[in-house]
PDB file of all heavy atoms in Angstrom:
ATOM      1  N   PHE F  33     342.762 136.794 152.007  1.00 99.00           N
ATOM      2  CA  PHE F  33     341.864 136.358 150.950  1.00 99.00           C
ATOM      3  C   PHE F  33     340.855 137.442 150.555  1.00 99.00           C
ATOM      4  O   PHE F  33     340.691 137.778 149.405  1.00 99.00           O
ATOM      5  CB  PHE F  33     341.100 135.077 151.357  1.00 99.00           C
ATOM      6  CG  PHE F  33     340.278 134.434 150.311  1.00 99.00           C
ATOM      7  CD1 PHE F  33     340.646 133.251 149.716  1.00 99.00           C
ATOM      8  CD2 PHE F  33     339.083 134.972 149.957  1.00 99.00           C
ATOM      9  CE1 PHE F  33     339.884 132.626 148.752  1.00 99.00           C
ATOM     10  CE2 PHE F  33     338.265 134.356 148.948  1.00 99.00           C
ATOM     11  CZ  PHE F  33     338.692 133.187 148.417  1.00 99.00           C
ATOM     12  N   CYS F  46     347.356 145.710 146.967  1.00 98.00           N
ATOM     13  CA  CYS F  46     347.267 145.183 148.342  1.00 98.00           C
ATOM     14  C   CYS F  46     348.632 145.335 149.034  1.00 98.00           C
ATOM     15  O   CYS F  46     349.628 145.031 148.383  1.00 98.00           O
ATOM     16  CB  CYS F  46     346.973 143.678 148.245  1.00 98.00           C
ATOM     17  SG  CYS F  46     345.365 143.139 148.664  1.00 98.00           S
ATOM     18  N   ASN F  50     351.462 142.505 157.639  1.00 98.00           N
ATOM     19  CA  ASN F  50     352.352 141.493 158.263  1.00 98.00           C
ATOM     20  C   ASN F  50     353.812 141.821 157.943  1.00 98.00           C
ATOM     21  O   ASN F  50     354.672 141.827 158.801  1.00 98.00           O
ATOM     22  CB  ASN F  50     352.057 140.050 157.773  1.00 98.00           C
ATOM     23  CG  ASN F  50     350.654 139.583 158.154  1.00 98.00           C
ATOM     24  OD1 ASN F  50     349.704 140.300 157.961  1.00 98.00           O
ATOM     25  ND2 ASN F  50     350.541 138.411 158.683  1.00 98.00           N
ATOM     26  N   PHE F  99     337.020 150.507 156.597  1.00 98.00           N
ATOM     27  CA  PHE F  99     337.577 149.471 157.492  1.00 98.00           C
ATOM     28  C   PHE F  99     336.837 148.164 157.266  1.00 98.00           C
ATOM     29  O   PHE F  99     335.555 148.100 157.301  1.00 98.00           O
ATOM     30  CB  PHE F  99     337.425 149.891 158.943  1.00 98.00           C
ATOM     31  CG  PHE F  99     338.242 151.109 159.268  1.00 98.00           C
ATOM     32  CD1 PHE F  99     337.661 152.375 159.259  1.00 98.00           C
ATOM     33  CD2 PHE F  99     339.597 151.029 159.518  1.00 98.00           C
ATOM     34  CE1 PHE F  99     338.459 153.530 159.539  1.00 98.00           C
ATOM     35  CE2 PHE F  99     340.366 152.081 159.821  1.00 98.00           C
ATOM     36  CZ  PHE F  99     339.789 153.392 159.811  1.00 98.00           C
ATOM     37  N   ILE F 117     339.407 157.317 164.991  1.00 97.00           N
ATOM     38  CA  ILE F 117     340.743 157.416 164.422  1.00 97.00           C
ATOM     39  C   ILE F 117     340.661 158.136 163.102  1.00 97.00           C
ATOM     40  O   ILE F 117     341.516 159.043 162.834  1.00 97.00           O
ATOM     41  CB  ILE F 117     341.377 156.025 164.265  1.00 97.00           C
ATOM     42  CG1 ILE F 117     341.667 155.388 165.616  1.00 97.00           C
ATOM     43  CG2 ILE F 117     342.721 156.170 163.479  1.00 97.00           C
ATOM     44  CD1 ILE F 117     342.341 154.016 165.541  1.00 97.00           C
ATOM     45  N   MET F 133     334.120 134.560 158.102  1.00 98.00           N
ATOM     46  CA  MET F 133     335.064 133.578 157.522  1.00 98.00           C
ATOM     47  C   MET F 133     335.229 132.454 158.530  1.00 98.00           C
ATOM     48  O   MET F 133     334.822 132.536 159.682  1.00 98.00           O
ATOM     49  CB  MET F 133     336.348 134.268 157.173  1.00 98.00           C
ATOM     50  CG  MET F 133     336.289 135.285 156.003  1.00 98.00           C
ATOM     51  SD  MET F 133     336.068 134.496 154.370  1.00 98.00           S
ATOM     52  CE  MET F 133     337.777 134.088 153.959  1.00 98.00           C
ATOM     53  N   LEU F 143     338.505 123.644 165.204  1.00 98.00           N
ATOM     54  CA  LEU F 143     338.372 124.486 163.991  1.00 98.00           C
ATOM     55  C   LEU F 143     337.647 123.706 162.871  1.00 98.00           C
ATOM     56  O   LEU F 143     337.599 122.486 162.923  1.00 98.00           O
ATOM     57  CB  LEU F 143     339.685 124.988 163.542  1.00 98.00           C
ATOM     58  CG  LEU F 143     340.518 125.726 164.572  1.00 98.00           C
ATOM     59  CD1 LEU F 143     341.793 126.303 163.970  1.00 98.00           C
ATOM     60  CD2 LEU F 143     339.687 126.806 165.233  1.00 98.00           C
ATOM     61  N   PRO F 144     337.060 124.390 161.935  1.00 98.00           N
ATOM     62  CA  PRO F 144     336.378 123.705 160.779  1.00 98.00           C
ATOM     63  C   PRO F 144     337.279 122.801 160.020  1.00 98.00           C
ATOM     64  O   PRO F 144     338.512 123.045 159.907  1.00 98.00           O
ATOM     65  CB  PRO F 144     335.880 124.890 159.962  1.00 98.00           C
ATOM     66  CG  PRO F 144     336.621 126.041 160.366  1.00 98.00           C
ATOM     67  CD  PRO F 144     337.120 125.860 161.762  1.00 98.00           C
ATOM     68  N   LYS F 154     332.749 130.129 150.471  1.00 98.00           N
ATOM     69  CA  LYS F 154     331.897 130.323 149.361  1.00 98.00           C
ATOM     70  C   LYS F 154     330.708 131.156 149.714  1.00 98.00           C
ATOM     71  O   LYS F 154     330.259 132.053 148.953  1.00 98.00           O
ATOM     72  CB  LYS F 154     331.397 128.963 148.857  1.00 98.00           C
ATOM     73  CG  LYS F 154     332.451 128.257 147.992  1.00 98.00           C
ATOM     74  CD  LYS F 154     331.834 126.963 147.405  1.00 98.00           C
ATOM     75  CE  LYS F 154     332.867 126.237 146.584  1.00 98.00           C
ATOM     76  NZ  LYS F 154     332.654 124.826 146.492  1.00 98.00           N
ATOM     77  N   ALA F 155     330.155 130.961 150.922  1.00 98.00           N
ATOM     78  CA  ALA F 155     329.005 131.735 151.361  1.00 98.00           C
ATOM     79  C   ALA F 155     329.317 133.191 151.534  1.00 98.00           C
ATOM     80  O   ALA F 155     328.447 134.079 151.439  1.00 98.00           O
ATOM     81  CB  ALA F 155     328.469 131.168 152.681  1.00 98.00           C
ATOM     82  N   HIS F 166     330.549 148.684 146.310  1.00 98.00           N
ATOM     83  CA  HIS F 166     330.300 149.961 147.066  1.00 98.00           C
ATOM     84  C   HIS F 166     331.608 150.759 147.076  1.00 98.00           C
ATOM     85  O   HIS F 166     331.620 151.995 146.892  1.00 98.00           O
ATOM     86  CB  HIS F 166     329.915 149.662 148.462  1.00 98.00           C
ATOM     87  CG  HIS F 166     328.479 149.226 148.650  1.00 98.00           C
ATOM     88  ND1 HIS F 166     327.476 149.995 148.142  1.00 98.00           N
ATOM     89  CD2 HIS F 166     327.911 148.156 149.211  1.00 98.00           C
ATOM     90  CE1 HIS F 166     326.328 149.387 148.396  1.00 98.00           C
ATOM     91  NE2 HIS F 166     326.570 148.265 149.069  1.00 98.00           N
ATOM     92  N   MET F 172     329.507 154.706 150.925  1.00 98.00           N
ATOM     93  CA  MET F 172     329.710 154.232 152.310  1.00 98.00           C
ATOM     94  C   MET F 172     329.363 152.708 152.370  1.00 98.00           C
ATOM     95  O   MET F 172     328.513 152.250 151.646  1.00 98.00           O
ATOM     96  CB  MET F 172     328.752 154.964 153.266  1.00 98.00           C
ATOM     97  CG  MET F 172     328.942 156.419 153.473  1.00 98.00           C
ATOM     98  SD  MET F 172     330.274 156.779 154.693  1.00 98.00           S
ATOM     99  CE  MET F 172     329.626 156.185 156.224  1.00 98.00           C
ATOM    100  N   PHE F 196     344.990 136.227 178.327  1.00 87.00           N
ATOM    101  CA  PHE F 196     344.997 135.034 177.454  1.00 87.00           C
ATOM    102  C   PHE F 196     345.889 135.159 176.215  1.00 87.00           C
ATOM    103  O   PHE F 196     346.043 134.190 175.484  1.00 87.00           O
ATOM    104  CB  PHE F 196     343.531 134.745 176.963  1.00 87.00           C
ATOM    105  CG  PHE F 196     342.621 134.425 178.081  1.00 87.00           C
ATOM    106  CD1 PHE F 196     341.759 135.372 178.612  1.00 87.00           C
ATOM    107  CD2 PHE F 196     342.627 133.188 178.696  1.00 87.00           C
ATOM    108  CE1 PHE F 196     340.933 135.132 179.672  1.00 87.00           C
ATOM    109  CE2 PHE F 196     341.754 132.877 179.780  1.00 87.00           C
ATOM    110  CZ  PHE F 196     340.929 133.901 180.223  1.00 87.00           C
ATOM    111  N   TYR F 202     352.592 127.492 175.123  1.00 96.00           N
ATOM    112  CA  TYR F 202     352.810 126.745 173.875  1.00 96.00           C
ATOM    113  C   TYR F 202     353.854 125.640 174.127  1.00 96.00           C
ATOM    114  O   TYR F 202     354.911 125.900 174.760  1.00 96.00           O
ATOM    115  CB  TYR F 202     353.323 127.669 172.756  1.00 96.00           C
ATOM    116  CG  TYR F 202     352.253 128.653 172.193  1.00 96.00           C
ATOM    117  CD1 TYR F 202     351.096 128.823 172.852  1.00 96.00           C
ATOM    118  CD2 TYR F 202     352.515 129.268 170.971  1.00 96.00           C
ATOM    119  CE1 TYR F 202     350.139 129.720 172.361  1.00 96.00           C
ATOM    120  CE2 TYR F 202     351.595 130.209 170.494  1.00 96.00           C
ATOM    121  CZ  TYR F 202     350.393 130.389 171.196  1.00 96.00           C
ATOM    122  OH  TYR F 202     349.491 131.303 170.682  1.00 96.00           O
ATOM    123  N   GLY F 217     356.146 132.541 159.599  1.00 98.00           N
ATOM    124  CA  GLY F 217     354.789 133.028 159.606  1.00 98.00           C
ATOM    125  C   GLY F 217     354.445 134.000 160.737  1.00 98.00           C
ATOM    126  O   GLY F 217     353.396 134.670 160.776  1.00 98.00           O
ATOM    127  N   VAL F 220     355.306 139.091 164.182  1.00 98.00           N
ATOM    128  CA  VAL F 220     356.021 139.958 165.132  1.00 98.00           C
ATOM    129  C   VAL F 220     357.360 139.356 165.595  1.00 98.00           C
ATOM    130  O   VAL F 220     357.899 139.807 166.615  1.00 98.00           O
ATOM    131  CB  VAL F 220     355.136 140.347 166.336  1.00 98.00           C
ATOM    132  CG1 VAL F 220     353.977 141.218 165.881  1.00 98.00           C
ATOM    133  CG2 VAL F 220     354.575 139.097 167.011  1.00 98.00           C
ATOM    134  N   ALA F 228     369.455 124.196 167.524  1.00 96.00           N
ATOM    135  CA  ALA F 228     369.062 122.777 167.325  1.00 96.00           C
ATOM    136  C   ALA F 228     367.773 122.622 166.531  1.00 96.00           C
ATOM    137  O   ALA F 228     367.344 121.503 166.250  1.00 96.00           O
ATOM    138  CB  ALA F 228     368.893 122.108 168.690  1.00 96.00           C
ATOM    139  N   TYR F 241     347.810 132.942 166.188  1.00 97.00           N
ATOM    140  CA  TYR F 241     347.809 131.517 166.002  1.00 97.00           C
ATOM    141  C   TYR F 241     348.356 131.077 164.592  1.00 97.00           C
ATOM    142  O   TYR F 241     348.082 129.968 164.127  1.00 97.00           O
ATOM    143  CB  TYR F 241     346.433 130.900 166.240  1.00 97.00           C
ATOM    144  CG  TYR F 241     346.003 131.097 167.659  1.00 97.00           C
ATOM    145  CD1 TYR F 241     344.731 131.527 168.025  1.00 97.00           C
ATOM    146  CD2 TYR F 241     346.874 130.842 168.697  1.00 97.00           C
ATOM    147  CE1 TYR F 241     344.345 131.771 169.301  1.00 97.00           C
ATOM    148  CE2 TYR F 241     346.508 131.017 170.031  1.00 97.00           C
ATOM    149  CZ  TYR F 241     345.263 131.505 170.302  1.00 97.00           C
ATOM    150  OH  TYR F 241     344.894 131.698 171.612  1.00 97.00           O
ATOM    151  N   ALA F 251     352.677 120.257 165.347  1.00 98.00           N
ATOM    152  CA  ALA F 251     353.596 120.028 166.488  1.00 98.00           C
ATOM    153  C   ALA F 251     353.525 121.093 167.587  1.00 98.00           C
ATOM    154  O   ALA F 251     354.087 120.897 168.616  1.00 98.00           O
ATOM    155  CB  ALA F 251     355.015 119.948 165.940  1.00 98.00           C
ATOM    156  N   ILE F 254     348.789 124.234 172.600  1.00 96.00           N
ATOM    157  CA  ILE F 254     348.617 125.008 173.823  1.00 96.00           C
ATOM    158  C   ILE F 254     348.353 123.989 174.890  1.00 96.00           C
ATOM    159  O   ILE F 254     347.198 123.413 174.967  1.00 96.00           O
ATOM    160  CB  ILE F 254     347.429 126.013 173.723  1.00 96.00           C
ATOM    161  CG1 ILE F 254     347.608 126.862 172.455  1.00 96.00           C
ATOM    162  CG2 ILE F 254     347.322 126.845 174.981  1.00 96.00           C
ATOM    163  CD1 ILE F 254     346.403 127.803 172.134  1.00 96.00           C
ATOM    164  N   LYS F 256     347.723 120.641 176.420  1.00 94.00           N
ATOM    165  CA  LYS F 256     347.218 119.411 175.713  1.00 94.00           C
ATOM    166  C   LYS F 256     345.915 119.695 174.969  1.00 94.00           C
ATOM    167  O   LYS F 256     345.509 118.916 174.131  1.00 94.00           O
ATOM    168  CB  LYS F 256     346.953 118.302 176.755  1.00 94.00           C
ATOM    169  CG  LYS F 256     348.157 117.647 177.273  1.00 94.00           C
ATOM    170  CD  LYS F 256     347.735 116.410 178.084  1.00 94.00           C
ATOM    171  CE  LYS F 256     348.926 115.576 178.580  1.00 94.00           C
ATOM    172  NZ  LYS F 256     349.813 115.128 177.502  1.00 94.00           N
ATOM    173  N   LYS F 257     345.287 120.874 175.259  1.00 94.00           N
ATOM    174  CA  LYS F 257     343.929 121.080 174.780  1.00 94.00           C
ATOM    175  C   LYS F 257     343.779 121.144 173.281  1.00 94.00           C
ATOM    176  O   LYS F 257     342.695 120.870 172.758  1.00 94.00           O
ATOM    177  CB  LYS F 257     343.254 122.221 175.503  1.00 94.00           C
ATOM    178  CG  LYS F 257     343.698 123.582 174.993  1.00 94.00           C
ATOM    179  CD  LYS F 257     342.815 124.656 175.753  1.00 94.00           C
ATOM    180  CE  LYS F 257     343.421 126.012 175.606  1.00 94.00           C
ATOM    181  NZ  LYS F 257     342.755 127.011 176.359  1.00 94.00           N
ATOM    182  N   GLU F 268     344.595 129.897 149.323  1.00 98.00           N
ATOM    183  CA  GLU F 268     345.050 131.113 148.633  1.00 98.00           C
ATOM    184  C   GLU F 268     343.965 131.596 147.610  1.00 98.00           C
ATOM    185  O   GLU F 268     343.419 130.738 146.876  1.00 98.00           O
ATOM    186  CB  GLU F 268     346.345 130.811 147.865  1.00 98.00           C
ATOM    187  CG  GLU F 268     347.568 130.657 148.734  1.00 98.00           C
ATOM    188  CD  GLU F 268     348.008 131.911 149.511  1.00 98.00           C
ATOM    189  OE1 GLU F 268     347.758 133.047 148.965  1.00 98.00           O
ATOM    190  OE2 GLU F 268     348.575 131.778 150.585  1.00 98.00           O
ATOM    191  N   LYS F 273     340.979 131.216 142.235  1.00 97.00           N
ATOM    192  CA  LYS F 273     340.783 131.773 140.864  1.00 97.00           C
ATOM    193  C   LYS F 273     341.105 130.718 139.851  1.00 97.00           C
ATOM    194  O   LYS F 273     340.345 130.478 138.906  1.00 97.00           O
ATOM    195  CB  LYS F 273     341.731 132.970 140.682  1.00 97.00           C
ATOM    196  CG  LYS F 273     341.120 134.254 141.153  1.00 97.00           C
ATOM    197  CD  LYS F 273     341.749 135.393 140.389  1.00 97.00           C
ATOM    198  CE  LYS F 273     341.168 135.476 138.988  1.00 97.00           C
ATOM    199  NZ  LYS F 273     341.642 136.613 138.254  1.00 97.00           N
TER     200      LYS F 273
END
Side-chain angles (χ1 to χ4, degrees):
F33 185 107
C46 256
N50 295 48
F99 295 98
I117 293 180
M133 291 288 276
L143 301 188
K154 279 187 182 153
H166 284 305
M172 293 276 296
F196 300 99
Y202 290 12
V220 291
Y241 298 132
I254 307 173
K256 284 192 176 301
K257 74 175 168 185
E268 288 292 330
K273 272 206 76 177

